[in-house]
Amino acid sequence: QILRFYAFFRETLQEHRCAPFQIRKVVIYFFLEDGTIQVMEPKIDNSGISQGTLLARARVRFPAPMDANFYDVMDLNVGNEVEFYGRVYKITDCDKFTRNFLNRCGIAVPDPINVPEDPYYKSRAYDIETRLPKKPSRKIDTLGKFLENDRKVLRFYGYWDDQETQYGYLHHLEVLYYLSDDTIDIKEVVVDNGGHKSSSVFFRRDKLVKKYTGLPRPGDHCHLTLLNVLGNDIKSSRYVVDSLDCGKEHRDYYLEQDLTIGGMINVYGRKVVLTDCDSYTKEYYRAKYGLDSFVPIPKPLDSQMGIPTPQERELPPWNGYGSFEDSAQNCITVEPKAPHGDFKKFLKFDKNGLDSHVLRFEGRLISSIDENCGRIFVISYFLSNDTIAVFELARANSGFKTSPFFKRGEIKLPGQAVFTSKPPECYRTQHIFVGATLVINSFKFVLVDADDYALRYMELNCHEVIKYNK
């Protein structure tokens, strides 16, 4: 455990005419384990003096004539003056742990004391301030901001309503704000076959001024203002830099705090309204500015767009030849292509190790013929593509043989119109459970039992299908 005190001492200066002394701030550490003391001075850039450890860790004696004793924790407190090897330190404050520790020991700690002003650093700051603006080579360093915010872009969505003018329409815009250099790029979302030009550049990337007063004059972009041009020719001329920039015209540009949902920005006379933003922009404003409400605002209706809404293609009725999917491909394209299945579902429910994703049930045939009622079938349902296969297990001396009864494929639900333009509905997971009745190729089956894998699958996925939970 270490006690930390903040202090200062005065050092006399002989060579500086404006400052007879300087104030040097230090930190005093008192180690409770052995009563040693260490004095550290924080380093200051371009101070001109050696800083760091002023007193190495050791036990410090009192000044004479009490040099037989050492400094203890009772001798260090806010407001006290301590002398270490001829140098007097004034303690001004301590940290929170030190204050609580001394209070628990019954020692009252006064309030912090203000450190007197340092005349030496005050004169140095004044010299730097008066000398820096007169340098003609001064420039604004933006490299640090670029390295910190490179590739960080705020994205807003908005519109510009130009419907009041002739042939005007509603422009859907995308506003990009680059944090690296505070520039704005506005792109127009062009609708296909909308009857407008295909160019998407609404405002090329640049700083956007809030109030446009005209084209900049020559030299407005320069950050230096020259005064008192003397001489008749260029060689004998002398230039004086205006340190106060009196003749420089100040322009306000749009910054990140000016962009809000529902706000409006002036793009050289065009009023662009911001309606929404992306998820990264929401997180950025939530972390930096503490905003929580990002409710998008609706856009006005575009009465002059004239773009017909895409309608669902209506196919001719199925004629019964082949599958419905193959017939639909002949109507969609001139060059027929094989129908595509649900690839994501296939990857999710494909066979993976011991997970076959095949539900097997024992089925019985419902028939008016007594011989058919005793036949045993294995009905397999494949989760990868919702297909069903039926296999018969023949009993001994039954007159039937063990063989596939129905080839694997999708089974349509009974009671549907066949020759329609809409795809037929097939058996899905919610139709397959113990006790269900399936109609396959005009044969009626009832599911009487299931294997362990199917029962386990229905138990784990009972929240998806209500029948599994019964």
Side-chain angles (χ1 to χ4, degrees):
Q1 294 181 349
I2 304 173
L3 304 184
R4 181 168 56 179
F5 298 90
Y6 302 101
F8 72 91
F9 68 92
R10 293 177 56 174
E11 185 178 36
T12 304
L13 298 178
Q14 303 293 342
E15 67 280 0
H16 201 282
R17 62 183 179 83
C18 296
F21 63 90
Q22 67 174 346
I23 301 296
R24 299 178 62 177
K25 300 178 183 179
V26 297
V27 181
I28 300 176
Y29 297 96
F30 184 85
F31 297 86
L32 295 174
E33 58 180 356
D34 53 0
T36 55
I37 295 176
Q38 184 180 9
V39 180
M40 298 284 295
E41 182 180 9
K43 293 186 178 181
I44 301 177
D45 296 336
N46 300 323
S47 62
I49 56 177
S50 60
Q51 295 174 320
T53 303
L54 300 183
L55 176 62
R57 179 179 175 181
R59 298 196 68 184
V60 182
R61 297 178 180 272
F62 282 98
M66 300 179 60
D67 52 355
N69 300 323
F70 295 92
Y71 277 100
D72 199 1
V73 66
M74 305 292 294
D75 305 313
L76 303 178
N77 202 344
V78 176
N80 292 357
E81 292 185 357
V82 292
E83 182 179 349
F84 300 153
Y85 299 104
R87 181 174 288 173
V88 179
Y89 298 90
K90 178 73 173 183
I91 301 178
T92 59
D93 198 4
C94 61
D95 60 0
K96 185 177 180 180
F97 171 78
T98 305
R99 187 176 294 272
N100 294 336
F101 179 83
L102 294 179
N103 289 336
R104 288 197 301 267
C105 294
I107 303 174
V109 181
D111 295 335
I113 301 174
N114 296 328
V115 180
E117 188 176 12
D118 188 357
Y120 173 69
Y121 283 104
K122 183 179 179 180
S123 62
R124 285 194 59 189
Y126 178 77
D127 293 340
I128 294 175
E129 183 180 358
T130 55
R131 183 171 59 250
L132 181 62
K134 295 181 181 180
K135 288 185 178 181
S137 61
R138 78 178 191 269
K139 62 179 181 179
I140 302 175
D141 186 13
T142 58
L143 179 61
K145 183 177 181 180
F146 172 79
L147 295 177
E148 182 181 0
N149 298 314
D150 187 25
R151 298 186 180 182
K152 295 181 180 180
V153 183
L154 306 181
R155 187 187 305 269
F156 291 87
Y157 305 100
Y159 67 89
W160 172 46
D161 194 356
D162 190 32
Q163 301 182 81
E164 297 181 357
T165 61
Q166 188 178 10
Y167 307 114
Y169 61 97
L170 187 67
H171 298 257
H172 301 275
L173 305 176
E174 184 176 329
V175 181
L176 304 177
Y177 183 86
Y178 297 86
L179 295 172
S180 59
D181 54 358
D182 299 326
T183 55
I184 294 179
D185 183 16
I186 302 179
K187 299 179 180 180
E188 182 173 359
V189 182
V190 180
V191 183
D192 296 337
N193 301 325
H196 309 294
K197 60 180 181 180
S198 59
S199 177
S200 62
V201 179
F202 187 83
F203 177 73
R204 199 176 301 274
R205 179 177 175 180
D206 197 0
K207 287 190 175 183
L208 182 58
V209 65
K210 292 184 178 180
K211 185 178 180 181
Y212 177 70
T213 57
L215 293 175
R217 295 172 298 178
D220 281 355
H221 296 292
C222 183
H223 53 273
L224 289 178
T225 303
L226 299 182
L227 301 178
N228 299 334
V229 180
L230 305 177
N232 298 325
D233 54 357
I234 299 178
K235 294 182 179 180
S236 61
S237 299
R238 295 186 180 181
Y239 303 94
V240 178
V241 178
D242 183 11
S243 59
L244 300 179
D245 289 335
C246 298
K248 187 175 181 180
E249 183 180 358
H250 179 70
R251 291 193 174 190
D252 291 332
Y253 296 94
Y254 281 102
L255 301 176
E256 59 185 65
Q257 54 266 25
D258 300 321
L259 305 180
T260 57
I261 296 179
M264 183 190 68
I265 59 177
N266 182 14
V267 185
Y268 293 96
R270 299 178 177 91
K271 298 180 180 179
V272 177
V273 181
L274 305 180
T275 59
D276 200 2
C277 60
D278 61 355
S279 57
Y280 172 78
T281 306
K282 295 178 182 178
E283 291 297 330
Y284 178 82
Y285 279 91
R286 183 180 292 111
K288 186 172 182 179
Y289 297 100
L291 300 179
D292 294 329
S293 179
F294 300 96
V295 180
I297 62 175
K299 295 182 179 180
L301 297 177
D302 190 1
S303 58
Q304 300 182 12
M305 180 65 73
I307 300 178
T309 57
Q311 298 180 357
E312 185 179 358
R313 179 179 296 178
E314 185 176 355
L315 301 177
W318 181 45
N319 55 10
Y321 292 97
S323 64
F324 179 86
E325 290 79 8
D326 289 335
S327 300
Q329 289 295 327
N330 291 328
C331 300
I332 293 174
T333 59
V334 178
E335 183 181 356
K337 298 181 181 179
H340 298 284
D342 192 348
F343 187 67
K344 293 183 178 180
K345 187 174 183 180
F346 171 77
L347 293 178
K348 181 179 179 181
F349 294 105
D350 192 22
K351 183 178 179 180
N352 184 14
L354 299 178
D355 248 353
S356 62
H357 292 105
V358 179
L359 308 183
R360 294 180 174 87
F361 297 86
E362 180 183 348
R364 297 299 176 89
L365 192 62
I366 301 176
S367 175
S368 57
I369 302 175
D370 296 337
E371 289 79 2
N372 291 339
C373 296
R375 300 167 68 179
I376 302 175
F377 298 90
V378 176
I379 301 177
S380 303
Y381 180 80
F382 298 84
L383 296 171
S384 59
N385 55 359
D386 298 318
T387 54
I388 296 177
V390 182
F391 189 86
E392 181 178 4
L393 297 176
R395 294 181 177 179
N397 301 324
S398 62
F400 302 98
K401 64 178 181 178
T402 301
S403 61
F405 184 80
F406 184 79
K407 186 179 178 180
R408 177 180 173 180
E410 286 189 333
I411 309 300
K412 299 177 180 59
L413 293 174
Q416 297 184 83
V418 179
F419 304 104
T420 61
S421 59
K422 295 183 178 181
E425 296 182 2
C426 302
Y427 283 103
R428 294 293 181 257
T429 315
Q430 61 268 19
H431 303 113
I432 310 298
F433 53 90
V434 177
T437 302
L438 309 181
V439 179
I440 303 176
N441 201 13
S442 302
F443 291 93
K444 188 177 292 186
F445 295 89
V446 59
L447 305 182
V448 297
D449 200 1
D451 62 354
D452 294 339
Y453 180 81
L455 294 175
R456 177 176 174 271
Y457 178 83
M458 290 187 291
E459 183 179 357
L460 295 176
N461 298 272
C462 60
H463 58 281
E464 298 181 2
V465 182
I466 300 178
K467 295 290 185 179
Y468 290 173
N469 205 14
K470 293 185 179 180

